[in-house]
Amino acid sequence: MKIAILSGFFSLFWTSSVFSQAPFLLEKHMEGKILWQNALILEDPTGTIPSEAIVSGKRDSEFSKLLTPNLGFSSSQFWVRLPVKNDSDEVLNWMLEYNFPLIDQIQIYGKNIPKDTVTLSGDNLPFEERNENYRNVVFPLSEQPLSQNVYYIRIRSESTIPLSLEAWSTKELIDKMNKEQIIFGLFYGIMIVMGVYNLSVFIFTSAKSYLLYVLFILSITLFHLTNNGFAFQYLWPDSVWWANYSLPFFICSSCFTGVLFATYFLNLHKQAPLFAKVLLSWFGILVLIGLVTFFLPYRIGMLTSIGFAVPSAVIMITSGIVALIKKARTARFYLIAWTFFLLGVLLYSLKSLGWLPDNHVTRWTIQFGTALEVILLSLGLADRINFLTKSLRDNVRELSTAKIKIEESEKRFREIFQGSEEVIIMMSETGVILNANRALSKHMGYRMDDVRGKKLTDLLYQTKGKKEGFNELLVKDKLAELVKTGAPISFQTEFSQKYVKEPKDMYCRIQFVELEDSREIIATLSPQFEDTLTKLVDSERIEFTINNYLRNAELVSQKITSQLSKYMNSISQTEVRTSVREIIINAIEHGNLNIGFEEKSNALTNGNYLEFLQKRQEDARYNRKKIRIEYVLNDEYVAFRISDEGKGFDHKKVLEKSLEELNEAHEQHGRGIHMTKSVFDRVEYNDIGNQVSLIKYLKNN
């Protein structure tokens, strides 16, 4: 009995310890907060634990704390339990980044994951299926105010598995991406410059050591591109198999090109012929291992390539020492350069094997070592042509400065381009859309994927009747005029909307942008020009005649109530605008278009009201009918008169009933009228009910 009680006590204690796991406290601004200490881990050696058992919390008692964030090479499937908490009183949108590009599969589970978030990612899937166009896997998440949530993350990989989970706020993650672009841009810029420089020297001198050095730079650059995730992002995003198996091969190719280069650079054929034969034999072994890795399971191939990389480092260091003993002049450059490089490789290899922690130091050592190595070896080669040394340094410095300026210019352009309230569309010289900013979605409902590859004329509203084809003809004429004159062209036309079956009037300006070897067309679209005289108006009288598009109700109601801010507060102004808009909409729908309550209700229920409305607008019985709006404003009152060409309705019957009675009877006009009556001082209909006059006295306000 006592044993059972003690067993139950310890079981309860263990379960409580899991559920008392301290959640990670989310903040509005986060810069790569490390999460592994807030997480618990469960190893599934067979990979058979169903996700339902994990997500339901039934296996929570089996999770345990991590002593190190690096799980090393393992064939097991790992589950991570990560509780998070939002103590603020606002929604926090944040990014969960897995900061290791070589993960095979990572999947996140949770109750409140946004619907558009891709939950399964990794380099076993095509790159285009990721949430973000970024080398690392990122999950966009959102937490409600004063809430706590638990995420379960399933990780499986043939490579080493570091638990490099980091929390970012969106802005800080974008800043990190920009900084990484600068750092990696400088690094790969150095590699490219060194490669091109030494290739040029080889072309002019035919010295074999320069060609071998170029091959080594190419191999090590491809290794870094693959290891950092850029090769999968930019070079072969759809080739999943090659994205995985290329890394062990590039490790081997970096080793055997390095060994062959060392043999000729140190002139070991003359300095130490016996040692040169050892190096050449090792070169042949490395080539064979590099080819064999394609036929091995990835984990074995990776361990094999790393296993041969370590003795290769020892052999190449030894070759430098041998050359130094033989008093070879280039041995000093060689030893210093390879010491930096091989130290970085060694630290990175130990990190990959799980013997060193995964942190910012171990992640960047191989880049730092490689950059120093290629620069120093290039200086060693350039020792034969010393007069080029200063020119080389100046070129590298100018490349770095130019890279930074380009990144800054691109960043400023993106901020201006995406932040504009106007729609900005970039087109080729033939008029094919290349890019567009976010304002396109705001004003017209289209996303970039909807319009890429189309022409501007494909976005125009297709009119019918006498004006059919007019919009397309107008735009084509303007584009032809732009090509002929080269001067900016402005015009107004109607564009289509993705979700609304009515035209959108837009002011359009097109002009050429000259590039280095080509030119593009930039089109800016804005819904209306700002009326700079609005604030100077004391009184006005306007008459409108509009067709039966519902968008006109919004446009006109905004226009004829814009001056009321001088006489009333924003709430009263909104009430007037809303009432006027509802009366205009009633005049269009129930007046000119003769849409009954039952017809509208059925269309709304069936989800095809917009199509039904469009058919009525195109119907020959109604499409010529107009709405007339008269508006008067002075310092005493504002008055509106709205007339339609419909049959009218029994307004007296509606005005006699209360709002409750109208709701019970489902009357189609009453609610709008009662709302208007509560806002205006006078509401008067003509006898047949197709004209209403609205008056509101301003001095009372």
Side-chain angles (χ1 to χ4, degrees), residues 468-479:
E468 185 171 359
F470 173 79
N471 291 335
E472 183 175 355
L473 181 62
L474 172 66
V475 173
K476 287 182 177 179
D477 287 344
K478 296 299 181 182
L479 288 171

Side-chain angles (χ1 to χ4, degrees), residues 188-213:
Y188 290 114
I190 290 172
M191 301 296 286
I192 292 172
V193 167
M194 295 298 102
V196 172
Y197 166 75
N198 287 280
L199 181 61
S200 302
V201 175
F202 166 74
I203 292 173
F204 287 101
T205 64
S206 299
K208 188 178 292 185
S209 57
Y210 286 95
L211 177 61
L212 295 176
Y213 187 53

